[in-house]
Structure formats: C-alpha cells, structure tokens
Amino acid sequence: MRVKDQNFLKKQNQSLVLEYIIQNGPISRAEIAKHMAMSPTSASRIVASLEEEQLIKEVYLETDEVGRKATYYTANEHSVVFVGVEIDVGVVRAGLMNLIGELITARSFQTNTDHYEHVVEFIGQMVNELIREQQIGKDRIAGVCIGLPGLIDNEKGTVEFSAQFNWRNVPLKQLLEQKLDLEVFIDNELKLKALAEYVSASLPYKNVVMLGFGKGVGSALITDGEIYRGTNNMSGEIGHMTLDPYGAYCPCGNFGCLQTYIAIDFLLDEASKTQPMDSMDELAAAYQKKEKWAVNILEKAATYAGLAIKNVVCAYNPDAVFLSGSLIEDYQEIAELIIEKHSNSTWFPESYSYELLVTQMKGMGVVKGAALSVQRKLIKNLDFKGGA
Amino acid sequence: MRVKDQNFLKKQNQSLVLEYIIQNGPISRAEIAKHMAMSPTSASRIVASLEEEQLIKEVYLETDEVGRKATYYTANEHSVVFVGVEIDVGVVRAGLMNLIGELITARSFQTNTDHYEHVVEFIGQMVNELIREQQIGKDRIAGVCIGLPGLIDNEKGTVEFSAQFNWRNVPLKQLLEQKLDLEVFIDNELKLKALAEYVSASLPYKNVVMLGFGKGVGSALITDGEIYRGTNNMSGEIGHMTLDPYGAYCPCGNFGCLQTYIAIDFLLDEASKTQPMDSMDELAAAYQKKEKWAVNILEKAATYAGLAIKNVVCAYNPDAVFLSGSLIEDYQEIAELIIEKHSNSTWFPESYSYELLVTQMKGMGVVKGAALSVQRKLIKNLDFKGGA
C-alpha cells in the first residue's frame, strides 16, 4: 500500500482535464476551472502543460457581436494516433484513430491462411502501409491494439487459445512488437467491441453487457467504464456454461455447453443431417423459405439464444445488453426471432430492468474498440512533467 | 466530472493510514512513513489527526535490551462499534464488532413469525439489548447493517422482494432507523457473507465468488475488494438462470431455472412423491441409508450444483470459489458429492484455474460481513478536519 502523493494527484488531474477537453472542447480555461471544481491557477497550469505536450491547442472564437475573440482550448486531434486491428476468420481489419476517437482510415483485407506467422507478417505490412499512406511519423503513434476471438492473456500478451484459428500459446504481442517497432497490446475482440459500444452509446449506462452470437458464443461486461476481466481475462466465456449435463458433445470435453445450442457450426451440423449445408447463408435462406427443418433448427437456437440473454442478466445485472455477432448482424430475421423468444421470459421482480439493443458498431467495432483501448491507456497514464 | 482536490487526497490518505495501522499496528511513525512512501511530516500529521479522533492510540514498546521505550501506534479498537444483523428463516443473528474487525459479542434468537413488523420490533430489542449488555454508548456506534436473502436495494434501503419471507417493497432501512436511532444499511446476505470470506481468506484473492446452495441458489462476486452489485444490487441471481426452457416450472414464471434442480424445496417436492418428507434432514438420512430414490434425487441435484459452479466460473473467471449454504454447511456428504460431480467437468483451457473451497464462515458469516461493511464505510469516509 502506498499513500498517494502530490505527483499522483497531478497526473490524475492532467488526465481528467485532457479527457474533459476531448469531450467538451473548445472550452475556455475559466469554464474548465468552473466545471471541474478547481482553482483558476490549477486550471491554467494543467492547460499549459497539456499544451506544451501538444495534446491540446488554442483556438480563437468570437465571443460577442462586435467580433471580439477569446482563447479556447480544444484537443489537438492530430497529435497522436492509435492503431486498432481485428483478426477475424479469413479477414484482418485495421484502422487509425486520432486523439478525439475518430477513425482516420480503416480497411479490411482478406487473408488466405490462418497460420499465425503469416497473420503477423500480414498485419505488419498492413499497419505500415496505413501509416505510410497517412504520412504519420512513428513517433506520433501511441500504440497498437489487436483484438481477436479466444482466451487472450492481455497482461502476458499471449493468445492462450483461440478455437477459431486453432492457436495455442502464441506470443502475439512479442511477435508484433518485433515486426512493428511499436508498443502492442492484445485483447479479446468482444471485450474491445463492448468498450467501443459503451463509448458510443447514446446513454451513460453503468453496466453494459455485449453478447456475441456467431461461430462461438461469448459475452463481455463493461462496469463503471472499465472492462471486467476476471482473473485471467477469461470472464464472459458463457459459450461453455453447461445447460444439460447429458446434452450434445462439445469439443471442450463437456456435454451440453450453451454454444452447442447456438453456435453456427453446430447449427450447420444439424442442418447437414437433412441436406448438405456449408454456410449460414444457405440455412438462413431455407429459413426464409419457411422450410420446416430450417424453421425447427432456428426456432430452437433462438430459444436458447434468448435464454442466454436472460442468463447473463442474472449474472451481471446490467442496465444495457447489446446483441452482436454474425447471427445478429448478418441475419436480421434471426435477430428478430432471438429478441422475440427472449421476450417470452418473465421477469422477477418487475423492477429487474435493462435495455436490450442491437449493436450499432457495424464492421469496424473491434478495430474501434482496440484503438480506443490505446487512447484510454494514453489518457490515464500521461507521464510528462509540469502542470497542476 | 470533478478534479480531485487536496482535501480529497487528504481524506484518502487518512483512510489508507488508518487501514494500515489496523492491519499492521503496533507500528511507529517512521515505519508508517517508510511503508507508505510518504514524508515523515505527512505521516506525523495524519497520525496526529487519527489520534485526536481516538481511532488510534499510542503504546510504548521496548526497542532494545536496555529497556528503552519508543512510541508506537495501534488501532484504538474500542473507539467505535459496528453492528451486524442477519435475518434468516425462523432466526435472527446479531453481533457487535470493534474497530479492528473482531466480534465482541454475537447471538442468535429464534423468531416465531416472519412478518416484517415483528422482525423489525425484534431486531430493535435485540440490538439495544446487546449494546446495553456491553455498556456501549450509542455515540460510539458507527452504524448497523442488516443482511437478508432476496433482492435488496441497498441504495434505497428497501427489500424489493424476498421469497423466503414473502416480503415485497419493505422499507427496512427506514423502519429500523426509526426503531434504533442509528444509521442503518441493508444488503443481500450472500454479498455480505462473500465480503466476510474475502476479508478472512488466507490468500489475497483478486476475484472471489461465493455460491449459496440452500432454500435458494445464488452467487456473489467480490472484485478488487469491492462487492460487484450490478445496476440494482441484483447481480449473481443465478438461481434464475434458465437451463432448460421446457424444464420444471419455477414460481418466477419460467421453466427450468437452475434452482428448480437444486433448491431444497424442489428436492423435498420430488422426494415427497415417493414418501412424505418435510425436511432436508430426512432426505439426507435416506441418502445416507443409500435408499435408491434418495440417491437418485441427490445425485442429480449434485450434478447440477457442480455445473452451477462451472457456470459462475465461466461468467466471472474468479481465482477462488467458496461454497456455502445449508446443502454445503449442514450436510457434509452432500457437499462432497457436489465437489466430486463438479470435478468431472473438464477445463478449457488447462490454464483456466481457480481454487474451490468450502466457506469457513460458520454461522456468523453474514453478521460478520454486515458489520465489516459498516467498518469499511467508516474507514473510506472519514470526515474530520486536520491531518495530511
């Protein structure tokens, strides 16, 4: 235990003021002092130190009809850049974000292999290309964050296990730092997407859960603005919650895991017993044609997806649940079916309430969340002298 | 957003030093300054302010063989008292705790009614009696916390719903404050018990889950030393996670809730189909006599209790899981069966690890957790002048 000293307080206040200017600029020193309950002297000192680091800049705005101008401060959005990357099956997405959280550029690339050495090589090229195109010096890049599905040890920087790519113990952070010569972080994709959703949400939710229904089933919790990680960053692995100890066999070695009722591969396995079936598109098409077998398979899956929503609500008691993943984002009729099935569960007690929403993140949600996670690290860990 | 000022820092440091002295006293000013990375002047000021408030006191210890004495500081354990109360079915337990977290006195009383007005009356008498017996002035009592099962709004101070007592919207905080003329807090009993377990645990766990298997099924999470509450303090209501949408009917209006597989009343209902059965003692006795029907009922219940453990681990990724509740604490052979069944689930990946333990809290766990929660409020919210 260490008592917090002046220096800690100073840094914390620099962070708070920078965050406030990012969100509320252009703003005057007087307004900063007023809204943040600090003395004008402190406000001036902190503002000066942030300006010296070029994280904020002065703008001159007219304050009255005569055209007199006063000095306001706004984030210097070009001062630093954050890189976000998503590794998905068969595709890598990457983007650059400025200080105020806007994607400057973002792009998707098809990959023809999932071998990690090739993917690392490929990300290296991609990120360097984006940086070159935007003519950004490497000294302006605060860091890179990579999001991918699976059990990701964000502290060690290793992919413990990713079923989608069949990666085990891949030291992804280290490999990419060698390739990029930049600081690299890695994290679970759904946790990053949840962070992006939390940041963009129209309301200031306190506890946000993001559910992913796709090739796997997972969840992520943002509580008081922070990702809830658990002990090894493996919280939210609800795809392996057991529903029926004598249910269908799951590759994890147990029976009746939640994902055996919902995940796309399991649905395709079932559909294939009726007719050859390689893609979710085919199954969704059969469902739309109201083919009985497809309706039965998806009705059951939607029932279980609906109860998965209820189950995460029981565990986490959130005020908002966002649905995401291929089943939700690519097949609107399936999303609607899941929401309808979920609405059949009764509530206990009536006050047990939360909003159920579909993700607004679209294709670049993970990229955005990854870049935002680097932005937040920068804001929280400002380490320059001066101020306060 | 408000910038943190000197006063905030001062209070926070007073709290940290008080906590440090409680845990590590007797300790000298020099040691406090050293271990807490603060200047000798700051340490002296904070110590003086805590001493002025009588929260700590001086002791003189010999420091060498010649018998020279030096001044050390230790918590003044008698300076404040915290009251913890548990409302259980047919019994109320209460205890008084001193500043350093020791129960001074604790007692259980049978209640012959669950009507809330009588229970409030009864708690009022009990607490006043304990205070009188210990000859404690009311000015030394920092507050009272009441733990009970159910959905408890700890901010409003109301019992939203408690199935065990069939209470709805009972303003328990208000009723008891009128009766006791002391500040009263209320909370969910399992959350308080988890806090007590976290504080007493032999290892410094980061994420502790407490599971309760008894008349209901519930869980509680302590993360980074704080109770995870969710939005309405209703996190951890895993008894209403749905396992089978066509399972047994639950009074909540859904089918196949986890508690329908495990909770005592459901087990007795099943047993009664074979022979009249009023208590868990009878069912446990039949199980010990290896009566086939009792073995079947409890084997199935233990299988589901085992997967409930796995399911909370999937959600929360804790480093420790403590089992509690009547099925665990009153029937050792059932506890063993649950742990054995749980051990059959395979893990994914191998590194997914946590300790599975049986609660060490015994009968006074909720009382202790309730009193500790008041102690923590006092330490965190010291509000006197001086120091730092």
Side-chain angles (χ1 to χ4, degrees), chain B residues 27-36 38 40 43-44 47 71 73:
Chain B
I27 189 166
S28 71
R29 270 187 296 226
E31 285 169 323
I32 292 168
K34 185 180 152 203
H35 289 294
M36 306 194 72
M38 61 201 298
S44 293
V47 162
T71 310
Y73 295 88

Side-chain angles (χ1 to χ4, degrees), chain A residues 1-4 6 9 12-13 16-17 20 35-38 151 160-161 207 221 223 228-237 240-245 252-254 257 303-304 307 310-311 314-319 345-346 348-349 351-352, chain B residues 1-4 6 9 12-13 16-17 20 35-38 151 160-161 207 221 223 228-237 240-245 252-254 257 303-304 307 310-311 314-319 345-346 348-349 351-352:
Chain A
M1 183 173 2
R2 304 193 127 238
V3 162
K4 286 165 184 164
Q6 294 290 337
L9 188 69
Q12 203 177 48
N13 284 343
L16 289 171
V17 172
Y20 193 77
H35 289 295
M36 306 193 71
M38 62 201 299
L151 302 172
E160 298 289 304
F161 179 59
N207 297 288
L221 169 69
T223 176
Y228 174 74
R229 300 188 175 281
T231 301
N232 311 312
N233 203 31
M234 293 177 190
S235 61
E237 284 293 329
H240 294 284
M241 280 187 172
T242 301
L243 297 190
D244 179 357
C252 76
N254 295 299
C257 289
T303 299
Y304 280 88
L307 68 84
K310 183 185 175 221
N311 290 0
C314 287
Y316 299 124
N317 183 212
D319 46 358
S345 55
T346 61
F348 165 92
S351 66
Y352 204 132
Chain B
M1 186 175 353
R2 303 194 129 238
V3 162
K4 287 165 185 167
Q6 295 290 337
L9 189 69
Q12 203 178 46
N13 284 342
L16 289 172
V17 172
Y20 194 78
H35 289 294
M36 306 194 72
M38 61 201 298
L151 302 171
E160 298 290 304
F161 179 60
N207 297 287
L221 169 69
T223 178
Y228 174 75
R229 299 187 176 281
T231 301
N232 311 313
N233 202 31
M234 294 177 191
S235 61
E237 283 294 329
H240 293 284
M241 281 188 172
T242 301
L243 298 190
D244 179 357
C252 76
N254 295 298
C257 290
T303 298
Y304 280 88
L307 68 83
K310 182 184 176 222
N311 291 359
C314 287
Y316 299 125
N317 184 211
D319 46 357
S345 55
T346 61
F348 163 95
S351 65
Y352 204 131

